[in-house]
Amino acid sequence: MKAELFLNDEATVGKIRGASLRMEQRGEIEDWLLELTYDAKLFKLFVPRELGGLAAGLPEALRVFERASWADGAYGWLVTIGAGGGFFSAALPELEAAQLFSPREAVLAGSGMPTGTAKPVAGGFVVNGRWKFCSGSTFASFFTANCWIERDGANGTGDEPADAGHPAVEGDGAERGEQYERSAASGRELRSFAFLPEQVEIVRDWNPLGMRATASHSIIVRDAIVPEKLTFDLAAEPRLGHPIYRMPFLVFAQASFAAVAIGVARHYLEEARAFAELKAPEWRAGSPRRLEALLVAIEAAEARLGEAAERFYAEAASAWAAFAAGCCAAAGADCDAAEAGRQANCDAAEAQLQAEAQLQADCGTAVARRQANCDAAVARLQADECWAAAARASVDAAEAARIGAQAVFPLLGMTALLSDHPLSRTWRDLHTVTQHSVLLSL
């Protein structure tokens, strides 16, 4: 994969870090880095190969997210969110998915919060709304967002305020699965919409503690006409069979964001160790206990993070393997049933079976289908248990990253408070990522 060469190149990582302060001050990543990202197809990790994507599995993608975030937190977040948009390529109709996801520069920005409304009209919907925290808004080739459907003049938003949002970067889509579940429980109709850039107004209101270069601005859509084919229901059966499109979206978000937290934390601890080495001659002479305390804190944080990360990747890999097996078993159930039915019909026609023989053939088909479905159900149950473990490991890894940084921070002195220093920037990025509600142990 090109991504591995791109993110493991020392000179390129050095160039990215050299531009980090400029990008933070500018509020978005630089064009040369976008071009490298397009070339490496990092925004297309989950896009199918027939649309020019990499069709990556979850475990390999998580390593890419960590590595990109280790290079620079804001950049890693943008890669993660941009790649995550490929999840929707299986939710849109084939032609529309090809139009949106095939271009080299295809990348979406959007929100999972249902802070818009859509009124049905001939062939589609009229959409209005405002959505917060749309990471990558300034270079997105299209946008997605959730809306409540208004029918017969009813207010589909109920008590939901038009500008509802969540802390930090929570609008980037992690809530989509949860919102669809709430919609089903409440009886209110929720749907996702794709917007073209000319239908969207970007409100440059992103002014956070960290992740300042992610351009996570709000977007506004006013009276936009959206064709039915540019809408989708995330809770519906995906059009494609790849396991990535069928995994629980909440766990997908938790694992992705945890990988970002791990990457930023590794960078932070590296910066802390480099700072300790720089100050060592001075502190050995004047503050030996402080130096010792800092080194002990760094070692403890590295150990805790390493253990949590190892467990996180192991659980994610285990869940993915079990889930992929379940998807294959489910597909096999359909294929086995179809083949059994075809064979039974052929046998019946060839031998001119009587009704009793035909009944026996149909019974054999039913038995085959039932056994295959049973195998698939067992595999899915095992995958569900593994996903629960992966979700816990994601939260634990983010917590280890945050706690380790907090233990080291007080021992770094005033330098860690300087906003233009890498120690400050990585600390702020880390605490912005781990503020996301899906990474909290609640």
Side-chain angles (χ1 to χ4, degrees):
M1 186 186 296
K2 287 184 178 180
E4 295 179 6
L5 298 176
F6 174 40
L7 294 171
N8 284 305
D9 180 69
E10 184 177 343
T12 302
V13 172
K15 186 176 180 181
I16 293 172
R17 291 184 176 178
S20 291
L21 178 59
R22 292 197 309 271
M23 294 191 294
E24 181 177 68
Q25 293 170 340
R26 176 184 174 184
E28 56 188 343
I29 62 173
E30 296 182 348
D31 290 344
W32 64 268
L33 184 50
L34 265 179
E35 290 299 316
L36 287 178
T37 308
Y38 293 141
D39 285 343
K41 297 186 176 183
L42 296 191
F43 293 136
K44 291 192 173 190
L45 281 170
F46 300 127
V47 173
R49 295 188 187 279
E50 56 266 30
L51 300 185
L54 297 176
L58 181 68
E60 61 183 311
L62 294 178
R63 297 287 185 177
V64 173
F65 297 158
E66 180 193 330
R67 191 69 180 180
S69 302
W70 168 79
D72 177 79
Y75 174 65
W77 178 259
L78 287 172
V79 168
T80 303
I81 293 298
F87 197 96
F88 308 134
S89 61
L92 287 159
E94 184 175 3
L95 177 60
E96 285 68 26
Q99 292 172 341
L100 293 176
F101 286 95
S102 292
R104 171 181 176 270
E105 297 84 7
V107 59
L108 71 81
S111 170
M113 295 305 299
T115 52
T117 60
K119 291 186 177 182
V121 295
F125 298 84
V126 176
V127 178
N128 287 276
R130 176 172 181 147
W131 296 268
K132 292 184 176 182
F133 312 132
C134 299
S135 298
S137 61
T138 55
F139 59 84
S141 60
F142 66 103
F143 298 79
T144 62
N146 284 346
C147 294
W148 295 111
I149 306 301
E150 292 183 339
R151 298 188 186 276
D152 300 324
N155 183 359
T157 58
D159 298 327
E160 189 77 28
D163 62 347
H166 285 264
V169 288
E170 289 187 70
D172 293 282
E175 308 87 352
R176 289 183 190 267
E178 182 181 353
Q179 292 296 342
Y180 269 98
E181 291 176 3
R182 291 178 180 176
S183 170
S186 67
R188 300 158 70 194
E189 188 177 353
L190 182 66
R191 197 158 185 83
S192 298
F193 291 76
F195 307 111
L196 301 179
E198 56 267 27
Q199 295 176 302
V200 172
E201 175 190 347
I202 298 173
V203 182
R204 293 177 176 265
D205 56 358
W206 178 240
N207 187 30
L209 174 72
M211 293 289 177
R212 299 181 66 86
T214 60
S216 301
H217 303 302
S218 295
I219 62 170
I220 296 177
V221 171
R222 294 187 177 91
D223 294 326
I225 304 296
V226 181
E228 174 75 29
K229 290 185 176 181
L230 285 180
T231 76
F232 56 95
D233 180 352
L234 194 60
E237 182 75 6
R239 180 174 50 82
L240 302 174
H242 193 294
I244 197 67
Y245 309 122
R246 297 168 180 271
M247 70 172 289
F249 194 79
L250 178 59
V251 184
F252 175 82
Q254 288 175 306
S256 298
F257 298 169
V260 175
I262 292 169
V264 179
R266 290 195 197 279
H267 184 187
Y268 176 78
L269 293 176
E270 287 177 9
E271 293 289 350
R273 185 170 288 282
F275 178 74
E277 293 174 356
L278 178 66
K279 302 294 289 186
E282 174 188 343
W283 285 3
R284 282 196 182 97
S287 305
R289 293 179 59 189
R290 179 180 177 183
L291 177 61
E292 180 182 0
L294 176 57
L295 292 174
V296 168
I298 292 172
E299 290 175 3
E302 289 173 337
R304 179 171 184 166
L305 178 64
E307 292 172 2
E310 183 177 355
R311 185 166 60 253
F312 162 73
Y313 282 114
E315 295 290 2
S318 176
W320 177 255
F323 185 70
C327 288
C328 291
D334 294 337
C335 292
D336 291 345
E339 175 60 23
R342 185 192 67 79
Q343 186 62 48
N345 288 336
C346 289
D347 291 345
E350 183 179 341
Q352 296 183 344
L353 293 174
Q354 300 299 318
E356 303 84 24
Q358 183 63 56
L359 178 62
Q360 183 177 1
D362 290 342
C363 182
T365 299
V367 170
R369 180 192 294 271
R370 183 176 61 186
Q371 183 59 51
N373 285 337
C374 180
D375 293 343
V378 170
R380 283 194 294 270
L381 180 61
Q382 292 173 340
D384 288 344
E385 294 174 352
C386 289
W387 283 135
R392 290 192 297 271
S394 298
V395 172
D396 290 345
E399 184 175 282
R402 181 177 57 251
I403 290 176
Q406 290 171 344
V408 170
F409 184 80
L411 302 171
L412 294 170
M414 295 298 293
T415 301
L417 300 177
L418 302 177
S419 62
D420 59 350
H421 196 281
L423 281 171
S424 174
R425 190 164 54 253
T426 51
W427 190 91
R428 288 184 284 107
D429 285 351
L430 176 61
H431 282 75
T432 302
V433 171
T434 56
Q435 188 72 7
H436 205 296
S437 63
V438 302
L439 293 180
L440 300 178
S441 54
L442 301 177

